[in-house]
Amino acid sequence: MNSTVALLLCGPAALLATAILAAAVSRHSFVTRLVYGAAFVISSVLMVIVAGHLAGNSGEASATLPLGLPWTGARFRLDGLSAFFLVVVNLGGAIASLYGLGYGRHESAPHRVLPFYPAFLAGMNLVVLANDAFSFLLSWEFMSLASWALVMAHHRDEANRRAGYIYLVMASFGTMALLLAFGLLAGPAGTYAFDAMRTAHPGPLAAGAVLVLMLLGAGSKAGLVPLHAWLPLAHPAAPSHVSALMSGIMTKVAIYGFIRVVFGLLGEPAWWSGIAVLLIGGVTAVLGILHALMEKDLKRLLAYSTIENIGVIFTSLGLALAFKANAMPSAAALAFTAALFHVLNHSFFKSLLFFGAGAVLTSTGERDMEKLGGLIHRLPVTSFVFLVGCVSISALPPFNGFASEWLVFQAILRSPELPQWGLKVIVPAVGGMLALSAALAAACFVKAFGITFLGRARSAAVERAHEVDRWSLAAMAVLAAFCLLAGILPGFAIDALSPVTLSLIGDRMPVQMAQPWLSIVPIAESRSSYNGLLVFAFITVSASLAAFFIHRFASHALRRGIAWGCGFADAVPAAQYTAVSFAQPIRRVFGGFAFRVRETVDMPAPGSLEPARLKVDMHDVAWETFYQPITGAIDFATERLNHLQFLTIRRYLTLVFLYLVILLLVLALWP
């Protein structure tokens, strides 16, 4: 057994031991500090180990434990891909645990959270380390069940119970799809080990079926449209630091599963596989951010925006598949690196935003943006770091969201070199969809920050709000710093991803740290380059000079007057823009095809004292198209079959006899 893998396996074991201890003494007050402190230390140690392995390009290491299936054991493996995702998992786990040290003190039901939190972290680590189908699926199910228990922590809320039920159903569906995918990869020989699957080379039909099943299995956990129905329900239902883990980290574990199978076990891809992944990614990005724009619940808005970013990542992976299938390794390396870089960046800014939403919820007790406003005066530090997250997720320079999405568009610009006309047409179209989603994301987070933190307080709860504890602020400050550092120094992250790209694509991006002035050059200097450090310096200097000259030379010319109040003479908070009114123009443009929106205006007769009313009827097209017919069919079938439980023993024996005859006929006619 390799010592590095053995040491890494001690981490999940320690987390599981912490979970058992928490279950035994969860009613005591010290357990919150114990669980989150232990999770922070364990996750930090694991992150340092795998970061050193990745930075040192130490190759592969494996281990087999005498567990699992007979004659197979439980196989675990550490390579470049698993090391990178372990960094994402454990860095996110460490910072979420730091946040939990403060946030956990406000938890109303800690005994329903503390035992499952370290178990959730252990499950994600084991999924990434697994090197056979049985260990992978067992860890995957364990991760799903632990996160389901965290979603159900506040089970007395009817909405949370519904979210937990839908999540459990979708998780079971995803696991079934993964089981079928691994069954096809194992083939008649039943080779459950990933090492054997790499050399099996399935035929085109089997490879296509595996790709579809992985899109269903991993895509349902990641939040691809139309498999996203559970995500905006479950992520907001969980405690905020768990929401950050589910949205920022667990969805990346699902992406890891997709990459591990499609890029690592299937062999050389077909060119059409890139089209399938591209289209799903583009549609997911646009619909995800449109749904986010329509939301007024802050945590649901963040959950829907996760769907948009998952679409960006899958679009980049689809590009990598298309380039790899056409023997364009440098372009494939660019697209694949962009996907991995956005995985890292999204884990930063999405965790930061969920932490900020948790701070707002702790201080005010509200998630509804219509009841917030003016928090910049009450929560200045939280407002600042939340603004950093909003700028980052809006892909604005010099923060990290811009750097990774810029790489995605650089990969899209390589599409004219593709030989297939289908790809030549579809890639630019999907690029336009990504550009649209980026613009809508900026509008969405202008709304999120403006309605929540600016203006005047819309409720008494905001007037009583105060800044959260230092642990939570420290966790948010660390993530805000990471968002800035990854944006102004992206070359470090790109070069660190080179071993991963080289192992799966066969090529890598040019060495970025060799470029002058810390620029990044994805292809060649004659094509394009970006220098986040110079952009940051320019923005800082120009903004400082503008502020200086305005205050030094223009302050005396200021003229104060009454602010425009939309025609209202009284400065009342109700006259402010709301989240719904902010999104109204976009809803009228895109609502017809995305939400089947119908607006009804009830205008009273002249002289009537009744107020005018605007009713907006919106629909979730994916839910009504795919899920309602299925649930309706299941209800119909169960109602018709319900009478079977009231049969006599004679009729039961008759049915058993008929089923036995049918089974024997099938076996006799089987070729």
Side-chain angles (χ1 to χ4, degrees):
M1 178 183 293
N2 183 274
S3 58
T4 304
V5 179
L7 189 59
L8 290 176
L9 289 174
C10 290
L15 288 168
L16 290 175
T18 305
I20 295 172
L21 178 62
V25 294
S26 60
R27 300 285 183 175
H28 293 77
S29 59
F30 68 89
V31 181
T32 297
R33 296 189 299 273
L34 173 66
V35 169
Y36 291 122
F40 173 77
V41 172
I42 296 168
S43 297
S44 299
V45 171
L46 291 175
M47 182 199 60
V48 170
I49 294 171
V50 292
H53 182 92
L54 185 63
N57 196 11
S58 304
E60 301 174 0
S62 60
T64 303
L65 298 180
L67 303 170
L69 294 176
W71 305 290
T72 300
R75 301 169 184 266
F76 300 95
R77 182 170 181 257
L78 178 67
D79 58 8
L81 181 66
S82 56
F84 167 70
F85 276 92
L86 283 172
V87 169
V88 174
V89 168
N90 289 292
L91 180 58
I95 299 177
S97 301
L98 180 65
Y99 184 87
L101 284 170
Y103 182 85
R105 294 183 302 182
H106 307 286
E107 177 58 52
S108 59
H111 60 284
R112 295 187 175 276
V113 176
L114 296 177
F116 302 105
Y117 178 82
F120 182 36
L121 293 177
M124 291 191 288
N125 275 278
L126 290 173
V127 169
V128 179
L129 284 170
N131 195 34
D132 66 81
F134 180 79
S135 301
F136 185 96
L137 289 173
L138 185 65
S139 304
W140 183 278
E141 275 294 272
F142 184 78
M143 173 187 73
S144 299
L145 289 173
S147 56
W148 169 79
L150 291 167
V151 169
M152 292 292 290
H154 303 149
H155 66 287
R156 298 187 185 279
D157 190 329
E158 173 63 28
N160 289 3
R161 292 198 298 271
R162 179 173 180 266
Y165 174 74
I166 293 175
Y167 176 40
L168 198 61
V169 171
M170 293 300 297
S172 302
F173 169 78
T175 303
M176 182 185 68
L178 292 176
L179 179 63
L180 294 175
F182 285 127
L184 289 174
L185 288 170
T191 52
Y192 292 102
F194 287 172
D195 295 332
M197 291 180 182
R198 288 186 183 90
T199 60
H201 302 300
L205 185 61
V210 170
L211 175 66
V212 172
L213 289 169
M214 289 307 301
L215 285 171
L216 293 174
S220 64
K221 183 70 73 179
L224 287 178
V225 172
L227 305 169
H228 68 288
W230 67 273
L231 193 147
L233 301 174
H235 286 202
S240 294
H241 59 309
V242 176
S243 300
L245 283 178
M246 293 181 68
S247 194
I249 310 300
M250 187 182 72
T251 55
K252 310 309 179 302
V253 175
I255 292 171
Y256 163 81
F258 180 83
I259 294 174
R260 174 62 76 192
V261 172
V262 174
F263 285 85
L265 305 183
L266 270 184
E268 290 300 316
W271 67 270
W272 54 264
S273 62
I275 292 181
V277 180
L278 272 167
L279 288 175
I280 293 174
V283 171
T284 297
V286 173
L287 290 182
I289 199 61
L290 280 174
H291 276 283
L293 263 164
M294 300 302 113
E295 281 295 331
K296 62 178 183 177
D297 184 307
L298 185 57
K299 290 184 72 174
R300 279 177 63 89
L301 180 150
L302 296 177
Y304 271 120
S305 75
T306 293
I307 298 171
E308 183 249 343
N309 282 275
I310 293 299
V312 173
I313 294 168
F314 270 88
T315 298
S316 197
L317 292 175
L319 280 170
L321 285 173
F323 288 133
K324 186 180 180 183
N326 286 286
M328 299 171 60
S330 62
L334 171 59
F336 192 74
T337 303
L340 294 183
F341 193 22
H342 201 69
V343 164
L344 180 66
N345 288 335
H346 182 255
S347 71
F348 290 160
F349 54 66
K350 186 47 60 72
S351 297
L352 171 58
L353 290 169
F354 266 111
F355 289 167
V360 171
L361 181 61
T362 300
S363 298
T364 64
E366 291 289 348
R367 290 175 6 192
D368 187 351
M369 291 185 286
E370 309 281 308
K371 298 177 182 179
L372 298 173
L375 284 174
I376 194 170
H377 305 292
R378 301 287 180 175
L379 312 177
V381 179
T382 299
S383 302
F384 176 75
V385 293
F386 195 89
L387 178 61
V388 170
C390 290
V391 175
S392 300
I393 200 171
S394 301
L396 297 175
F399 290 93
N400 57 345
F402 175 83
S404 52
E405 291 201 29
W406 182 77
L407 288 180
V408 176
F409 283 105
Q410 294 303 310
I412 289 173
L413 293 176
R414 297 286 303 269
S415 62
E417 303 172 32
L418 291 166
Q420 293 87 8
W421 276 102
L423 286 169
K424 286 178 180 289
V425 173
I426 288 174
V427 173
V430 173
M433 296 170 73
L434 289 191
L436 174 63
S437 69
L440 292 175
C444 177
F445 284 93
V446 167
K447 179 186 88 168
F449 184 81
I451 303 300
T452 303
F453 292 98
L454 303 182
R456 294 185 296 276
R458 296 179 175 86
S459 65
V462 176
E463 298 286 353
R464 299 189 299 269
H466 55 82
E467 196 62 88
V468 291
D469 58 274
R470 293 182 179 180
W471 295 107
S472 301
L473 293 177
M476 291 188 285
V478 169
L479 286 174
F482 283 160
C483 289
L484 179 61
L485 289 174
I488 64 177
L489 300 172
F492 288 99
I494 293 171
D495 287 345
L497 293 171
S498 296
V500 187
T501 307
L502 193 60
S503 64
L504 294 174
I505 303 298
D507 202 350
R508 53 163 293 172
M509 285 181 60
V511 179
Q512 302 301 310
M513 296 314 298
Q515 303 296 331
W517 297 94
L518 297 177
S519 298
I520 57 172
V521 182
I523 305 168
E525 288 189 9
S526 59
R527 295 285 296 267
S528 59
S529 64
Y530 170 69
N531 193 303
L533 190 60
L534 289 180
V535 170
F536 174 67
F538 173 77
I539 292 175
T540 303
V541 171
S542 59
S544 301
L545 289 175
F548 171 77
F549 280 104
I550 289 173
H551 286 286
R552 178 66 179 82
F553 299 107
S555 296
H556 66 279
L558 289 179
R559 181 170 58 88
R560 297 187 177 276
I562 300 175
W564 169 246
C566 301
F568 288 88
D570 297 329
V572 293
Q576 300 177 101
Y577 256 80
T578 63
V580 174
S581 60
F582 187 96
Q584 184 186 45
I586 297 174
R587 186 182 70 233
R588 287 183 171 175
V589 173
F590 297 101
F593 77 91
F595 312 108
R596 296 175 185 165
V597 173
R598 296 183 65 181
E599 294 185 2
T600 305
V601 179
D602 183 12
M603 185 63 68
S608 174
L609 298 179
E610 293 292 325
R613 299 183 185 277
L614 171 66
K615 181 182 178 182
V616 180
D617 187 20
M618 295 179 58
H619 302 268
D620 189 332
V621 178
W623 178 266
E624 295 179 358
T625 303
F626 296 100
Y627 299 102
Q628 279 190 351
I630 294 174
T631 56
I634 292 174
D635 289 342
F636 177 82
T638 52
E639 288 179 3
R640 296 299 181 275
L641 295 174
N642 188 45
H643 71 279
L644 291 178
Q645 62 179 320
F646 302 108
L647 297 179
T648 62
I649 186 65
R650 188 177 303 171
R651 291 182 177 178
Y652 277 129
L653 292 175
T654 303
L655 284 176
V656 171
F657 176 74
L658 291 175
Y659 292 153
L660 181 61
V661 170
I662 293 172
L663 178 61
L664 292 174
L665 286 174
V666 170
L667 292 175
L669 297 175
W670 192 267

